[in-house]
Amino acid sequence: MAKYPELPADLQKELRETAEAIVRDGHGLLAADESTGTMAKRFDKAGIENTEESRRAYRELLFTSPQDIPQSISAVILFHETLYQKTKQGVPFVEILKQRNIIPGIKTDKGVVKLSCTHGETTTQGLDDLDKRCAQYYKDGCRFSKWRHTLYIGPLTPSAVAIQENANVLARYASICQANGLVPIVEPEVMTDGDHDLETCEQVTTDVLVAVYKALRDHHVYLEGSLLKVNMSLPGADCKKEYTPQDVADATVRCLSRSVPAAVPGVVFLSGGQSELDSTNHLDLINKTPGRKPWQLSFSYGRALQASCLSAWKGEQENTAAAQAVFATRAKMNGLAASGKYEKGEDTTGGAGDSLYVAKHAY
């Protein structure tokens, strides 16, 4: 059998150390990579005008929040626009994050396009110029990247072709990122849209992850220098059957144990439309669930870290301190949950218990 060349040892070391730093104990990621269109929807709900300046001011609020934020946030996923924005004093956001020992990363996918001859399924685009973009992003201070694809559960979906196509695209993305010094976060998301039960989500997610890691192996991706971002095993948003939080934790751990290699340093969960409280509680229970878990299990939350913060801010400068305090609380609670040390009931104020589900959610 042919022996394929590996990444240089010094590059492997850099990738591995970055990946491990992102998922160090008690830390997780802030997903601040919402597109301009997605920010418009979030701002509209909060009564905020969606302008470049309002987006900049909001991201500054997050990145300059109280000094204890780095105790629970290890990295931030940025949108292209945000990567090149600055504070009101003219300091680049990337420098602000670095000064706080928070690792900057970048969303690299360019959204989805339809897969022909399927039941409305999609694949993610952006590979054509990815090598060039990754090289530039590394020069501009990023040390990791993220690429998302989505799969829906239905009578005829996800199809084998959609699973395989998206697995191969994720693998190609990951190999290109690593060649340019960026730790790839691979994000295959099984959406909560539908009335499927928890058991179906667990099975589909397992099948998807098995395909993804087969593709990553085929493309010679260095697993020790990569991370997985994935959904928890949850029932569909319209499912009538009730499950306990422990049911979710058990199914999620079982799914990962059957599909994710031990070489992967960490798994970070997306919130998937869960409320802020449910996202934190489920993560905590996942970490407390007995069993062999060779990876760090943490969070990469957008809405579940920001929803209450945005509602508190309302686009008004005088609300900045109050909004930052709300954000700091959510970050702290999730940091505790990432270590299995969260005590439910400490943070039930405001709208933290409200569902954040959005049908066919796109970033």
Side-chain angles (χ1 to χ4, degrees):
M1 180 179 291
K3 180 175 175 58
Y4 294 91
E6 296 182 339
L7 295 172
D10 58 342
L11 180 53
Q12 288 189 17
K13 181 175 182 292
E14 180 184 353
L15 292 168
R16 183 178 66 252
E17 289 178 349
T18 299
E20 291 173 352
I22 291 172
V23 292
R24 61 189 184 271
D25 189 43
H27 291 73
L29 296 92
L30 166 64
D33 58 333
E34 300 93 345
S35 67
T36 303
T38 297
M39 287 304 296
K41 297 173 185 176
R42 305 269 173 87
F43 278 5
D44 183 63
K45 187 175 180 180
I48 303 169
E49 185 180 4
N50 182 36
T51 65
E52 183 176 354
E53 173 54 25
S54 63
R55 295 191 298 273
R56 187 210 62 76
Y58 177 59
R59 264 59 184 265
E60 179 175 350
L61 177 158
L62 295 173
F63 303 159
T64 61
S65 283
Q67 293 303 309
D68 57 354
I69 288 296
Q71 295 178 14
S72 50
I73 300 295
S74 59
V76 175
I77 310 172
L78 302 169
F79 185 59
H80 181 87
E81 175 189 73
T82 315
L83 175 62
Y84 299 105
Q85 288 179 325
K86 302 176 181 180
T87 66
K88 203 167 186 178
Q89 290 71 37
V91 183
F93 284 161
V94 169
E95 293 307 314
I96 291 291
L97 295 173
K98 287 181 177 180
Q99 290 169 12
R100 308 190 74 187
N101 197 31
I102 296 174
I103 302 169
I106 186 73
K107 171 186 174 179
T108 49
D109 70 77
K110 292 186 174 182
V112 300
V113 292
K114 287 187 177 181
L115 275 175
S116 61
C117 300
T118 65
H119 294 275
E121 295 178 291
T122 61
T123 185
T124 309
Q125 58 185 340
L127 289 177
D128 288 351
D129 63 345
L130 183 61
D131 183 70
K132 179 180 178 181
R133 289 191 290 126
C134 284
Q136 188 63 52
Y137 286 142
Y138 186 92
K139 290 179 182 178
D140 294 336
C142 294
R143 290 299 176 264
F144 72 94
S145 60
K146 190 206 79 167
W147 184 287
R148 174 183 184 245
H149 83 71
T150 56
L151 294 161
Y152 292 84
I153 295 176
L156 300 172
T157 59
S159 65
V161 68
I163 292 174
Q164 195 61 51
E165 160 65 14
N166 282 292
N168 281 323
V169 169
L170 278 173
R172 183 71 184 120
Y173 141 79
S175 65
I176 292 170
C177 288
Q178 289 189 333
N180 286 283
L182 299 179
V183 169
I185 297 180
V186 296
E187 184 183 0
E189 179 179 359
V190 177
M191 304 292 283
T192 56
D193 302 60
D195 60 1
H196 55 274
D197 57 23
L198 181 148
E199 292 81 6
T200 299
C201 179
E202 178 189 349
Q203 183 59 60
V204 170
T205 304
T206 301
D207 292 345
V208 168
L209 292 178
V210 167
V212 166
Y213 279 102
K214 171 62 166 63
L216 291 174
R217 174 61 182 166
D218 289 345
H219 285 257
H220 315 293
V221 172
Y222 179 57
L223 295 184
E224 292 85 345
S226 70
L227 295 169
L228 171 67
K229 179 171 180 175
V230 72
N231 54 281
M232 299 174 189
S233 293
L234 295 164
D238 298 321
C239 179
K240 303 302 181 186
K241 184 176 179 181
E242 294 187 1
Y243 294 90
T244 67
Q246 190 60 55
D247 290 334
V248 171
D250 290 341
T252 300
V253 171
R254 189 165 52 241
C255 168
L256 297 178
S257 69
R258 293 172 176 175
S259 57
V260 181
V264 178
V267 177
V268 294
F269 295 103
L270 55 93
S271 57
Q274 300 176 79
S275 71
E276 293 175 334
L277 290 182
D278 285 347
S279 299
T280 305
N281 188 40
H282 283 145
L283 175 61
D284 182 66
L285 288 174
I286 287 168
N287 276 292
K288 287 175 177 172
T289 297
R292 182 173 175 272
K293 293 170 285 187
W295 343 263
Q296 289 287 336
L297 299 172
S298 190
F299 61 92
S300 177
Y301 292 161
R303 288 170 287 172
L305 277 171
Q306 299 180 51
S308 292
C309 170
L310 187 58
S311 295
W313 182 50
K314 297 183 174 65
E316 302 294 338
Q317 178 64 32
E318 60 266 29
N319 295 333
T320 295
Q324 288 180 326
V326 172
F327 173 60
T329 296
R330 291 262 45 88
K332 179 182 178 180
M333 294 303 113
N334 283 296
L336 291 170
S339 297
K341 298 177 181 177
Y342 169 69
E343 295 297 331
K344 190 176 181 181
E346 296 182 48
D347 54 343
T348 56
T349 57
D354 297 342
S355 172
L356 302 173
Y357 170 70
V358 176
K360 297 189 179 297
H361 177 61
Y363 289 100

